[in-house]
Amino acid sequence: MSITRSLGGMDLHKTIFDMKKGFLITILLLILKVIFAQTDSIKNEILNSANPKWVLICKGRNLLLDKFLSGDISKVAEIEDYLTKQLSGDDYVALYPFEQWLILYWTKNYDKLIQNIKHYDSICSTLHTKIFPQPDNLSFRLKEKTYSNKQLIISWIKNSSISEQDKDFLIMNLYLLLITKETKDITQDTLNYRADKFIQKYHDNDLISFTRKYIRQEYVPSKWAYSFEIFSGYGIFSGDLKNDFSDNIPIGVAFDVYYKNISLYLRDYIGFSRTKHDFTGNGDIWNKNSQVRVYLPEASFGYIVHESKHFKLAPFAGISSTSVSPTENDLNIKPDLKNYELSFI
């Protein structure tokens, strides 16, 4: 009887264990199902999302470029208006300022162009916090086609009904947008010439500050200048020293300071040489073929008497000294070698 009850007890415990195991597996499967269901939900939400703004901006820019290259300028005007009014805002930039300006030249929307330029500083102050468009060819193709058709665009401006002040400014600003290192017909000198004429002719114009800040750029030499140099060469001893030490290969640095025409030259020459024979008589022997260090610091003042694009003449005078000595490592091993040192002479 006891055996039967024992076996019956074992069967009961086994049944309860199997039930718990099945329950835990069921709970685990339900949890995994919920997780995968959430993942699928996010995936479907991404796939089925209704054109997020950055996608609209990307497609809008591509459509604008297609219409621009095909010559459909009226459609370009519509797309530009939609991109700037509906898609640009606190978070996104649909068109860079210079892209929009080039488009407005083509669409002949001169009033809007001038207003945008007048508010350029305030527009730029907010750009660093925004999300920029994905890289594409819009900027390059706008500038390329505008440059090849600049005379046509200038004729449109001249034949428009805007004021003479605005005409002169827009032509000058067009050159600013098109200038590069490769444009031989548009240089900073030509821009400065136009800017000087504009400032002189329209000294009370609202765009004078923009002209001075962004168009007229004249580089003037600073009163202060600095230069740094690393040099090497070949050093030859003379007199009795050439019998004691081999010629040396230097590594040197120089630092120059200029104020107007006055210059200060600071140089440090470190030469690498060797002894030609044993040195005796001062304690330790400084053996033949030991390493030698040659130090030659220099400080000089100069005055620039002539300076051109490729040539500068500056007589100078100063002070320097020379030291020939064992290396620091050898001095640590044999301190008496210091007696052979030729200190700054």
Side-chain angles (χ1 to χ4, degrees):
M1 292 295 288
S2 62
I3 296 175
T4 302
R5 282 197 294 269
S6 177
L7 290 173
M10 291 177 63
D11 292 339
L12 179 61
H13 288 305
K14 183 176 185 299
T15 301
I16 293 172
F17 176 76
D18 290 340
M19 289 177 63
K20 289 182 177 180
K21 182 178 179 182
F23 179 74
L24 291 173
I25 293 173
T26 302
I27 294 298
L28 180 60
L29 290 174
L30 287 174
I31 293 173
L32 291 174
K33 184 177 180 180
V34 170
I35 293 174
F36 284 119
Q38 289 177 341
T39 303
D40 289 340
S41 175
I42 294 172
K43 178 181 178 182
N44 291 331
E45 184 178 353
I46 293 173
L47 293 174
N48 298 324
S49 60
N51 286 335
K53 185 171 285 189
W54 71 269
V55 174
L56 288 175
I57 290 174
C58 182
K59 291 184 176 181
R61 287 172 62 89
N62 288 333
L63 180 61
L64 189 151
L65 179 57
D66 289 341
K67 297 301 180 182
F68 176 71
L69 294 177
S70 66
D72 191 349
I73 301 302
S74 61
K75 183 60 67 173
V76 168
E78 293 179 20
I79 300 171
E80 178 273 328
D81 189 69
Y82 179 80
L83 287 174
T84 54
K85 290 183 178 179
Q86 302 299 323
L87 299 182
S88 294
D90 294 336
D91 298 319
Y92 291 89
V93 175
L95 291 171
Y96 293 101
F98 73 93
E99 292 176 334
Q100 186 182 15
W101 295 358
L102 289 172
I103 292 168
L104 293 176
Y105 273 108
W106 281 94
T107 60
K108 303 179 184 179
N109 197 340
Y110 303 130
D111 291 334
K112 182 178 179 180
L113 173 56
I114 289 174
Q115 288 303 313
N116 280 5
I117 295 173
K118 286 182 179 179
H119 295 93
Y120 178 66
D121 282 338
S122 61
I123 293 172
C124 283
S125 65
T126 63
L127 287 180
H128 69 281
T129 63
K130 297 184 179 182
I131 301 172
F132 293 104
Q134 295 295 309
D136 54 30
N137 286 325
L138 180 60
S139 298
F140 175 77
R141 298 308 298 271
L142 276 173
K143 193 168 185 178
E144 180 185 52
K145 191 169 182 179
T146 303
Y147 180 78
S148 60
N149 290 275
K150 61 182 180 295
Q151 294 305 324
L152 174 62
I153 296 173
I154 290 173
S155 68
W156 292 346
I157 296 172
K158 289 182 177 179
N159 294 326
S160 68
S161 59
I162 61 176
S163 68
E164 290 300 316
Q165 296 184 40
D166 289 343
K167 289 179 182 179
D168 289 347
F169 176 81
L170 289 181
I171 293 172
M172 177 174 60
N173 187 69
L174 179 65
Y175 286 132
L176 173 65
L177 296 178
L178 299 179
I179 188 173
T180 65
K181 292 181 179 179
E182 289 73 35
T183 52
K184 303 301 182 182
D185 56 332
I186 305 175
T187 65
Q188 189 59 54
D189 288 340
T190 60
L191 275 178
N192 288 345
Y193 175 77
R194 287 182 173 274
D196 288 339
K197 288 186 63 177
F198 183 83
I199 294 170
Q200 183 179 7
K201 190 175 181 180
Y202 310 111
H203 52 84
D204 58 348
N205 190 281
D206 293 341
L207 292 164
I208 290 295
S209 60
F210 181 92
T211 303
R212 291 184 184 277
K213 187 174 182 179
Y214 297 107
I215 298 179
R216 192 184 189 284
Q217 302 292 327
E218 186 173 355
Y219 298 99
V220 178
S222 171
K223 293 181 180 179
W224 289 93
Y226 309 91
S227 68
F228 178 76
E229 175 187 352
I230 299 176
F231 64 88
S232 185
Y234 192 79
I236 300 174
F237 287 107
S238 61
D240 292 337
L241 292 179
K242 68 181 179 181
N243 299 320
D244 297 329
F245 306 106
S246 65
D247 296 340
N248 62 92
I249 303 294
I251 294 178
V253 294
F255 186 73
D256 302 339
V257 181
Y258 298 88
Y259 178 74
K260 295 183 178 179
N261 289 333
I262 300 173
S263 55
L264 169 64
Y265 306 113
L266 302 173
R267 298 171 65 85
D268 191 12
Y269 174 113
I270 304 173
F272 298 84
S273 177
R274 289 187 177 273
T275 56
K276 286 187 173 182
H277 58 80
D278 291 342
F279 286 79
T280 60
N282 288 323
D284 289 325
I285 298 175
W286 193 10
N287 295 318
K288 179 181 178 180
N289 207 36
S290 294
Q291 291 192 52
V292 179
R293 293 293 179 265
V294 182
Y295 299 100
L296 203 162
E298 173 192 339
S300 302
F301 281 99
Y303 189 84
I304 301 172
V305 297
H306 174 77
E307 184 172 8
S308 61
K309 186 175 181 180
H310 302 291
F311 182 74
K312 178 187 292 186
L313 178 62
F316 64 91
I319 186 172
S320 66
S321 187
T322 304
S323 168
V324 181
S325 70
T327 64
E328 287 295 327
N329 181 66
D330 289 347
L331 287 171
N332 289 332
I333 298 173
K334 298 180 178 181
D336 284 349
L337 293 182
K338 187 173 179 62
N339 297 323
Y340 298 106
E341 180 180 352
L342 300 178
S343 296
F344 292 106
I345 53 177

